[in-house]
Structures are given as structure tokens and as C-alpha cells.
Amino acid sequence: MMDKLGYRISSMDITNDNAAGTAAKYSIDTSLFDSLVDKVNECSPCSDPATNSADPADSPTASTRTLKQRLTKFDDDNAEDAKFLADLLDRRLTEDRGEVMFEVGLEADGSSMDLTDDDVAKVTATLTKVVQMPQVASFVQLLVDTGAPAAALQSEKTFAREFSLAQTESTPAAKPKRAGQAKAANAIEQEKDMPTPAVPSSVKGRTVYYLIRRKPDGVEQILEVRVAVVGNVDAGKSTMLGVLTQGRLDDGRGKARVALFRHQHEIESGRTSSVGLEILGFDKTTGAPVRHTDPNRKVSWDAVCERSSKLISFLDLAGHEKYLKTTVFGMAGGAPDYVMLMVAANAGLSGMAKEHLGLALALGIPVFVVITKIDMCPPNVLDGTIKQLTKVLRSSGCRKLPIAIRDRNSVLMAASRFVGQRVCPIFQISNVTGEGIDSLQTFLNVLPLNRCFSAPVSTPAQDNSDTAASKGKAVDKGKKVVGPAAGGAQANMQFDISEIFVVPFVGTIVSGVVASGTLKPGDPVWLGPDYNGHFLQTAVRTIQRKRVDAQAAYTGQSVSLWLKKITRSQVRKGMVLLGRNEQHSEEPFSSKTFEAEVVVLYHSTTISSKYQAMVHCGSVRQTARVLSIEQADGSSETLRTGDRARVVFQFIRHPEYLTEGTRLIFREGRTKGVGKVLRVLSKAEEFEAVSKATKGTMLFDHRSLKVFNEGVRHKAASAANAAAARATTDSSAGTKKVPKLPLKS
């Protein structure tokens, strides 16, 4: 049955081999990639051969044996080689925050190792032994072998997922193609494959790339990459996540997405209206995705965390225009590391997909594109979609370099250069046939961290110190003291609240991202600001990460906190938790007014004083008005499309806690402009700015201004009538008064 259906099982996932020619014909020009990889890339883990060799000063005999000799002629009794390789991997893992792409093929001087098949097998065996040492405590996975035989390279184009034979037999047969589609598909299959993207020109000979990742000792040390999934409605976002996380293909009618929906109306309509959360874990011993053996069942989050060394947290955002507010809040408040833009092959880059792309560019988040539904799209329509994407990405507004992804070699090269350069990988997938899922899954596995990750490195010394700290003892780590004996939470700790839950018989639970610092159970914190701008004193009872109890939360991690003696009415989205200790016991400052440098992306008219728009700044979402506009040339106090100026905003309802340098978006329906917070105004500066904007009235809304103006006019009219009456009295003072007639009896 397996051979009849054309599927092949491996350690990764499933795909169909008979559609491999589609991506080859409709792939983007590889000349850009070839010219790009020849350039020196400082952020690439594979660009510098010297990073794979230790400093000669570290070992007096480092120059006597080359790296190839140490890897291919490794002896368990040779303590020098074992220590050399262990120190090398430990240093690389520490520098790259627990995950490294290890390149074997070049010596420290740039000369080629000229590896053979036997050498590659010996290198793999040596690295497998070295990573098991306590100093390294990692696992190794062979990703790409540029000198592998053609059969091995062809095997990389297909991959499988864990699923039962019963599910395969119960999978309905694919619908027969129309005559035109079948003819086009046969023509595509007969064409020759496009040349694969070349490796850097400095590489001579065979090069092997290994993925080495530390094994976490707890949920606190698991690497996490957050990916926001955006795109137009009906682009297949939820279905794509269902296929990735559940490990089963879709039936063509959205069966894979049902488990991801949070509300009944989402199941009925098939459209996401809230911020959905899903995780994809990669095993800490093999690197394969963590999935259930039964395709009809999902692995619980705690089981995924127990078996994984790296997590991909997906933020499934809404694609409909009426849910744009929720989508913008998810992209701004969810703090994603990357954006996965989903584009339907039969619809192209239309609707809200352009708006979501603009949001990602405004927030400075790297973007990669996934073209879905290629199994049901005619070849000419798919060709038009790719040309449209290429044109938009290369435009002056985006300035991206679109790169077609076809195999693991291109996946590895694109992932290593994704963050530092203007590379935009483009995948072509089908959730029904499984085509292209392997490349996307491998890309997510090797995707580097894109933020400051301060989780500690797992070492035996640290494990002992953490145990001592949990018992209430202060432990000296250099000049830093950790644990409850340090006197409370860190002063620079900030936690942005994006979700609020009320658990029966437990209390109020807040969820969000640790923006800075470290948080532990029992730490005292400030909660605020409330509607009056004040902060409450509370404490953290427990911490959970991915529904698993955690002993600490570090910078960049998304966690949930149980707060002490806090009710639901005292918390709202946009609040923050700030560190509070004996040295920093003063209440934090919040303000309704701040100054920002903004750029107007598009506005049909002009923006002037008293203009109101919805401002998104992190997890803060509130309407604000413009108090003043200061352009660089001082030409005018109005803004048009493309103008840049320093603008003073004032929140309408209540104060917020903002930090300098935070990116913001202001919109009125669609996005109008982007900017960055420069400073928060004090009370005196706020009063002066409001007084100047209102000309001393201190009023903005139309009803209050109408009442105020009516009062002014009434006072003016009363004064005029009084003056006229006095003038009449003065003029008639010299005339004879007419006696009043007596009243009739």
C-alpha cells in the first residue's frame, strides 16, 4: 500500500515524489542567491572557517594535528583530542546561545579537507561521541552533505512523518485532474531540474554541515522561536499549522485545522478570529519533530516540552479585514521573531496579505513567504503569483531578495543569512500532497534565534547553584547574586501582559513575554498602571512555560504567571509587571503623553493637531491624539504621505507605561504610519503641551468644546448687554424722568 500511494517514510515527514518538478520550473532566479552567498556574511555561522578551530594559544600542541585528523582519527584514549573537540564545541555553543551550525570541510587556514565517504562517516561518529561528554551535553544531526551521491541528495527532497498505515489506507484518493492540468503537470515533470544554489566560492571540495544543540535540563532552558503566521483570508494558515504540529496531511476540506480553533464560530465559519497558539517541538536526541504515533491524537504540551530541545511557537493570526485589530495586536504584542506570510497560489498577494507584509516591514521583523495550494493551482496562475511576489519583494518599499527554496542545501544557506541580510525565502507547499513540507520543516529546525536570549547555559556548577538558590541561599556567580537572598526581583525586569485568564479555584493568570530581566516564583513586582496611573504591589506565586511549571523566566520567553491577591478587574491588557526590591521601592512612573518620531506611510488627506488614531506599542493598544507636530525644516504643522516628524501623542483614556526606543504603529482602519518612542513626558511637560494644543482651554472633545464655547459666547453677550445698559443709563441721566402711571384699582 505504501508503494502504491507513492509515500516514503523517514524520520521527518511525508511528501509526494511525483510533483517534484513543479518547484523546479517555477523557482525564482538563483543568480541573486549565487551572488549573495559569495559575499562575506558576518552573522552566518558557516561563513568563517576559522570558527571551527580553537585558538592555538589555548593548547600548546594545537598546531601539531589538524582538525581533520582529530575528527577522522579520533581515539577514546587520546585525552588531548577529546578535550580539544569538547572545548571547541562548548565554546561555539556558548557563543551561539546553545545551538550551532558546525561546518566540516575547511581547515583554519582555509584549505580543503578533501573528505571522502569514509571520512564523513568517521566525522559523524566522532562528533556523536564528543557531544555525549558532560561538558558538551548535546546532540548532533547531519543536515547537508554537499558531496553526497545523487541518490542521497534525491532522498533529501522527500521526507516522512510518523503516521499509521491505517490512516494511509483510509486517506481518500486524490481527485482526478482536468485534462489541461494533467497535460501541464506532465510537461513540468519532464523538464530538467534547475541548478541548486551554489555554496560559497571559497569552499573547495566536499563540505558537511551538522546541527549541534544542547540538551536542556528543564523547560527554562528550551530554545524558543516565535513565528507569527499571517496572510489573507482562506490562504491556509491554520491548515498549515495543523499539518506541521499534528503530523498528518489535510483532506482538502480543512480537517487539519479544526483542532487549532478556539471558538465554536471559528469551527463553523473556518476563519480565525483570535490569536491562536501552537507549538512544534524538535526532539533533543534526534532532532525530529515531536509527534504522536497515532495521527488522530495530539501530543500534550508538557510531553512536547519534556522531549524537545527547541520549540517553534506559532501565533496563528486572523486574516479577515474585520479582525485586523486582533492581528496587529498579535504582531505588536506577541513579540514574534519571524513572520511567515502565507499566500494562496490561486489568489496571489491580495487583500490583507499586503497589509500584513507592510506591518512586518514596519516592525522590522524578518519575513519568509509560503505559497500554499500548489496542488490545485494551474501552472500559469502559479507562475503569475510568483512573478507578482518577486516584483513586490524587490520593490523600493520592501527591498528584499526573494530566494526559492527547493532542497536542504538552499534551506541551510537561506537560514544562515536570513536575519543579517535582506533575504526572503519562498517555499511552495501543498497541505494535501505534502510537497514542500520537508523544506519548511527543516528551515524551522535550523532557524536561528532572533533576539536576546538570556537563559543560562546548562552546566553542573549552575545546577548546584540553582538548587542552592531554590533553598533560599545566596550563591555568588562572579559579581552577581541570584536567588531569594538577593532581595527580590531584578530592578530592570519587565513583563508585558498580553492575555488574562481566570482559573476557577486558582485566581488570576496573566500571560505575556519577558521583555527584560529574570523572573522567579515569589519575586515581588509592581503591577500597573491602572486607570489612574498608579501601580499595585503584588508577587508571583508560580510560573508556567508552555503549560509546564518553571523555576524561572528569562528575557524573550513567553510565560504565564499566577499573581498573588489580584482580581480580574484589577488587570487589563497592556499592563506591565516591573521588578521591585529593597533598592528600588519607588512606584514607577507612567504618563499619558509621549514624544515619538514617526513616518506617515499613507494618508489620503493631511494629519494635523488633534488628529486621533489607534496606537499599537508592544502590548499597549489605545487611541491617542496628536498634540503637536515638529518637522525638521519647521515648514508646517501638517503631515502628508511620506513625511517624517517628531510628534507628541496623548492617550485619551488612561496612562500607559512606555519605554524609549519601542516601535509603534498608528492606524485609522489601515496602517497610517510607524515610529519609535523617543521619550515620555513628565506631568509639567504634559500640561504645557496640552495647554499649547488647546490654546489654554485644556479641552479636546467636541461636546466639552461646544459647552465651553457657548459659555464664552454667553459671557460675552452678557458683558455686551451690561455695557449697553450702562451706556443707556448714562445717556438718559440728564433727561427728565417720566413718572410711572399708578396701577388701576
Side-chain angles (χ1 to χ4, degrees):
M1 188 64 183
M2 302 298 293
D3 297 336
K4 181 179 180 181
L5 293 177
Y7 295 115
R8 195 176 63 81
I9 305 298
S10 72
S11 60
M12 298 294 288
D13 209 333
I14 186 169
T15 189
N16 198 328
D17 294 336
N18 57 11
T22 304
K25 178 178 181 180
Y26 297 101
S27 57
I28 299 172
D29 184 15
T30 59
S31 59
L32 287 174
F33 190 95
D34 298 338
S35 61
L36 178 65
V37 298
D38 290 338
K39 300 177 182 179
V40 177
N41 183 10
E42 297 179 357
C43 68
S44 172
C46 309
S47 59
D48 188 5
T51 57
N52 287 346
S53 60
D55 189 357
D58 296 340
S59 176
T61 59
S63 60
T64 58
R65 287 172 60 86
T66 62
L67 181 61
K68 178 181 178 181
Q69 293 174 346
R70 296 180 187 274
L71 290 173
T72 58
K73 300 179 181 180
F74 182 79
D75 188 1
D76 295 336
D77 298 333
N78 191 341
E80 178 187 351
D81 287 352
K83 185 178 184 303
F84 178 90
L85 295 176
D87 292 341
L88 172 62
L89 295 182
D90 181 63
R91 176 173 57 87
R92 290 290 307 277
L93 288 170
T94 304
E95 293 175 354
D96 296 339
R97 298 173 291 183
E99 184 181 51
V100 62
M101 195 70 61
F102 193 75
E103 174 187 357
V104 179
L106 293 178
E107 295 289 354
D109 56 357
S111 60
S112 176
M113 294 184 181
D114 297 330
L115 298 174
T116 62
D117 293 343
D118 294 338
D119 293 338
V120 173
K122 293 178 181 178
V123 169
T124 304
T126 300
L127 292 178
T128 304
K129 294 179 181 179
V130 174
V131 297
Q132 295 177 358
M133 297 181 179
Q135 181 181 356
V136 184
S138 307
F139 82 94
V140 60
Q141 179 183 3
L142 175 61
L143 289 179
V144 175
D145 184 2
T146 59
L153 292 177
Q154 180 67 22
S155 65
E156 292 181 357
K157 297 181 180 179
T158 60
F159 68 111
R161 54 174 189 181
E162 300 174 357
F163 73 107
S164 60
L165 182 61
Q167 183 208 2
T168 306
E169 295 177 349
S170 62
T171 303
K175 296 181 180 180
K177 296 182 179 180
R178 297 191 299 268
Q181 290 182 346
K183 183 178 179 180
N186 294 333
I188 292 175
E189 293 175 3
Q190 292 175 1
E191 290 196 3
K192 297 182 180 180
D193 292 339
M194 296 287 290
T196 58
V199 296
S201 58
S202 60
V203 177
K204 304 295 183 181
R206 190 171 187 174
T207 306
V208 186
Y209 296 94
Y210 294 91
L211 175 64
I212 301 177
R213 186 182 297 144
R214 287 196 188 274
K215 296 181 180 179
D217 294 332
V219 69
E220 304 87 359
Q221 299 170 357
I222 298 178
L223 303 182
E224 180 185 7
V225 174
R226 285 190 296 275
V227 178
V229 184
V230 298
N232 195 30
V233 63
D234 299 332
K237 299 182 292 297
S238 301
T239 304
M240 178 77 260
L241 297 186
V243 172
L244 285 174
T245 58
Q246 299 176 20
R248 63 181 180 186
L249 297 177
D250 188 53
D251 60 351
R253 295 181 293 272
K255 182 180 179 181
R257 68 187 180 189
V258 176
L260 275 68
F261 289 144
R262 302 175 61 183
H263 306 287
Q264 181 63 29
H265 69 88
E266 294 179 342
I267 300 177
E268 295 174 355
S269 63
R271 294 178 177 177
T272 304
S273 62
S274 60
V275 180
L277 300 175
E278 278 296 324
I279 61 173
L280 173 64
F282 293 96
D283 194 271
K284 59 184 177 183
T285 57
T286 63
V290 178
R291 299 192 179 105
H292 203 285
T293 54
D294 186 356
N296 296 320
R297 299 179 59 185
K298 289 183 59 177
V299 183
S300 60
W301 282 28
D302 55 349
V304 172
C305 295
E306 183 181 356
R307 297 168 51 187
S308 302
S309 60
K310 183 177 182 179
L311 294 176
I312 307 296
S313 299
F314 294 104
L315 303 176
D316 187 13
L317 303 179
H320 200 278
E321 184 175 2
K322 68 179 181 179
Y323 303 125
L324 178 62
K325 178 179 67 174
T326 303
T327 302
V328 176
F329 177 76
M331 291 187 63
D337 303 315
Y338 304 96
V339 169
M340 182 167 63
L341 180 63
M342 309 288 289
V343 178
N346 56 351
L349 189 65
S350 61
M352 297 304 297
K354 295 182 179 180
E355 181 73 14
H356 296 165
L357 177 60
L359 286 173
L361 296 175
L363 294 173
I365 307 175
V367 183
F368 62 95
V369 182
V370 176
I371 302 177
T372 60
K373 303 181 181 181
I374 62 174
D375 58 297
M376 60 176 293
C377 181
N380 60 327
V381 178
L382 177 60
D383 191 13
T385 299
I386 295 178
K387 290 181 179 179
Q388 180 194 19
L389 269 173
T390 306
K391 181 179 179 181
V392 172
L393 293 174
R394 290 177 179 174
S395 63
S396 59
C398 295
R399 293 187 297 177
K400 296 286 186 179
L401 295 178
I403 302 298
I405 303 299
R406 297 188 303 275
D407 53 17
R408 289 196 179 184
N409 192 10
S410 58
V411 166
L412 183 62
M413 293 299 177
S416 62
R417 290 158 176 83
F418 184 34
V419 178
Q421 298 186 2
R422 297 180 291 108
V423 174
C424 181
I426 297 182
F427 300 84
Q428 302 177 36
I429 66 168
S430 171
N431 295 322
V432 177
T433 63
E435 179 184 353
I437 306 291
D438 175 34
S439 299
L440 178 59
Q441 190 170 262
T442 306
F443 180 76
L444 295 173
N445 187 19
V446 300
L447 202 58
L449 300 179
N450 189 27
R451 64 182 184 280
C452 179
F453 188 79
S454 61
V457 180
S458 175
T459 58
Q462 180 186 341
D463 295 340
N464 298 333
S465 63
D466 291 341
T467 304
S470 63
K471 295 180 180 180
K473 301 179 181 179
V475 180
D476 187 11
K477 290 186 178 181
K479 296 182 180 180
K480 183 178 178 181
V481 180
V482 301
Q490 295 181 359
N492 63 340
M493 194 282 299
Q494 178 179 341
F495 178 83
D496 299 331
I497 298 176
S498 58
E499 291 288 343
I500 306 170
F501 310 94
V502 178
V503 179
F505 308 106
V506 175
T508 304
I509 309 297
V510 296
S511 176
V513 179
V514 181
S516 62
T518 303
L519 192 62
K520 295 183 179 181
D523 286 348
V525 293
W526 291 102
L527 172 64
D530 57 11
Y531 290 100
N532 297 321
H534 299 298
F535 284 77
L536 301 176
Q537 297 185 15
T538 182
V540 178
R541 289 183 181 269
T542 58
I543 301 176
Q544 279 196 353
R545 187 185 183 199
K546 308 305 177 187
R547 305 175 187 176
V548 180
D549 291 336
Q551 298 302 320
Y554 302 97
T555 301
Q557 295 183 352
S558 57
V559 295
S560 298
L561 310 176
W562 178 18
L563 301 180
K564 182 179 180 181
K565 296 181 180 179
I566 295 296
T567 61
R568 175 63 180 86
S569 59
Q570 295 177 297
V571 191
R572 60 174 176 83
K573 294 181 180 180
M575 281 187 170
V576 296
L577 292 176
L578 301 177
R580 177 172 62 91
N581 52 29
E582 298 176 355
Q583 290 76 19
H584 299 80
S585 58
E586 297 181 359
E587 182 177 347
F589 173 74
S590 62
S591 177
K592 295 178 64 176
T593 312
F594 64 96
E595 184 180 7
E597 183 180 4
V598 301
V599 177
V600 181
L601 300 179
Y602 173 77
H603 193 62
S604 57
T605 59
T606 60
I607 296 177
S608 59
S609 179
K610 300 182 182 180
Y611 169 79
Q612 295 185 6
M614 178 66 69
V615 174
H616 295 263
C617 185
S619 60
V620 174
R621 179 180 61 184
Q622 189 182 161
T623 304
R625 65 171 63 93
V626 175
L627 295 182
S628 63
I629 300 175
E630 179 184 353
Q631 294 191 6
D633 54 358
S635 57
S636 64
E637 294 185 356
T638 59
L639 297 178
R640 294 176 175 85
T641 301
D643 290 348
R644 180 188 298 268
R646 297 166 70 100
V647 180
V648 176
F649 289 95
Q650 183 190 35
F651 291 117
I652 290 180
R653 297 187 59 189
H654 47 76
E656 299 286 0
Y657 182 84
L658 301 179
T659 56
E660 298 179 0
T662 307
R663 288 179 175 264
L664 64 88
I665 296 175
F666 64 93
R667 63 180 184 87
E668 187 184 4
R670 298 291 183 94
T671 302
K672 297 300 181 182
V674 298
K676 182 176 65 174
V677 177
L678 298 179
R679 64 188 182 96
V680 178
L681 274 63
S682 62
K683 295 294 184 181
E685 293 174 331
E686 179 181 359
F687 180 84
E688 182 180 355
V690 174
S691 178
K692 182 179 178 180
T694 59
K695 298 180 181 180
T697 62
M698 308 299 291
L699 299 173
F700 286 99
D701 59 282
H702 297 288
R703 180 176 299 179
S704 301
L705 286 175
K706 183 178 180 180
V707 173
F708 178 81
N709 293 331
E710 289 179 354
V712 172
R713 287 194 297 268
H714 178 71
K715 291 180 180 180
S718 300
N721 293 335
R726 286 194 301 270
T728 304
T729 303
D730 295 341
S731 62
S732 61
T735 61
K736 185 178 179 180
K737 294 183 179 181
V738 180
K740 294 182 180 180
L741 297 177
L743 296 176
K744 295 182 179 180
S745 58

